[in-house]
């Protein structure tokens, strides 16, 4: 239910649904269960979408601790690192954001969304050439990702490469 509510922009309702799920998971698995980590990550996303970066960071870090302990080779760990990078970028903590995004990519080099998010951070740091390469990597990995093409064009244009943009 929370995913549907989140997609509809009903963030307060989504947060309630994720909180209910977290409560159920805690009762079933204990406070360090993987379900709790999933719910915490989802709550972090809702907080981030509302601009509550401190709350999002706390939720992501809670999820991260569980995944590192219970499922360090799982697919969820790079997603949480990506999300944490996004929250830090939104809070203006660009060096930390880049480090978290790079750690997501290091764990899962085929994660196009993390490459795209890293390109946005690099753009904010005026590291346009690196950002262009990250966008190109995202496009190679996910050629249907329209946002990657848009971001690539913006990076090229900002770097004065009008014909390439």
């Amino acid at each position: 239910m929370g995913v549907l509510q989140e997609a509809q922009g009903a963030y307060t309702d989504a947060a309630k649904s994720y909180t209910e799920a977290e409560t159920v998971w805690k009762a079933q698995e204990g406070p360090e269960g993987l379900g709790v980590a999933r719910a915490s990550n989802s709550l972090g996303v809702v907080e981030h979408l509302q601009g509550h970066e401190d709350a999002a960071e706390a939720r992501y870090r809670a999820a991260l601790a569980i995944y590192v302990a219970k499922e360090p080779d799982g697919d969820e760990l790079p997603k949480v690192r990506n999300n944490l990078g996004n929250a830090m970028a939104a809070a203006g903590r660009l060096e930390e954001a880049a480090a978290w995004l790079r750690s997501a990519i290091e764990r899962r080099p085929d994660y196009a969304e993390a490459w795209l998010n890293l390109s946005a951070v690099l753009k904010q740091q005026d590291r346009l050439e690196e950002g262009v390469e990250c966008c190109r990597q995202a496009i190679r990995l996910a050629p249907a990702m329209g946002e990657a093409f848009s971001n690539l064009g913006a990076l090229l244009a900002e770097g004065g490469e009008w014909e390439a943009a």
Side-chain angles (χ1 to χ4, degrees):
M1 181 61 95
V3 173
L4 179 60
Q5 292 164 327
E6 182 184 324
Q8 294 173 339
Y11 301 131
T12 302
D13 294 335
K16 287 178 187 174
S17 293
Y18 291 141
T19 300
E20 288 173 18
E22 183 180 50
T23 301
V24 170
W25 283 115
K26 281 181 181 177
Q28 290 180 355
E29 301 178 339
E32 302 299 319
L34 292 174
V36 176
R38 281 188 294 278
S40 187
N41 186 51
S42 295
L43 280 161
V45 170
V46 171
E47 293 292 354
H48 172 69
L49 290 170
Q50 295 177 92
H52 307 147
E53 304 312 334
D54 289 341
E57 180 180 349
R59 285 300 190 165
Y60 294 144
R61 287 190 183 277
L64 190 67
I66 294 170
Y67 284 126
V68 166
K70 298 255 181 167
E71 206 174 66
D73 295 325
D75 283 342
E76 295 303 312
L77 190 57
K79 292 177 186 176
V80 177
R81 288 175 174 169
N82 176 67
N83 291 346
L84 186 53
N86 286 340
M88 291 187 171
R93 295 161 54 193
L94 300 180
E95 288 300 321
E96 292 173 273
W100 282 109
L101 293 165
R102 288 183 196 283
S103 73
I105 291 166
E106 182 178 297
R107 173 62 78 182
R108 197 173 140 209
D110 66 336
Y111 193 8
E113 185 178 338
W115 283 102
L116 180 63
N117 292 332
L118 180 57
S119 76
V121 169
L122 293 169
K123 180 180 186 285
Q124 288 180 287
Q125 295 176 315
D126 291 322
R127 295 164 65 183
L128 300 180
E129 287 182 31
E130 291 174 74
V132 165
E133 289 309 311
C134 288
C135 272
R136 287 186 172 142
Q137 181 64 15
I139 291 167
R140 282 191 287 275
L141 293 168
M145 185 186 287
E147 188 178 356
F149 286 97
S150 175
N151 287 9
L152 177 60
L155 282 163
L156 291 169
E158 190 166 322
E161 297 181 45
W162 297 103
E163 287 185 29

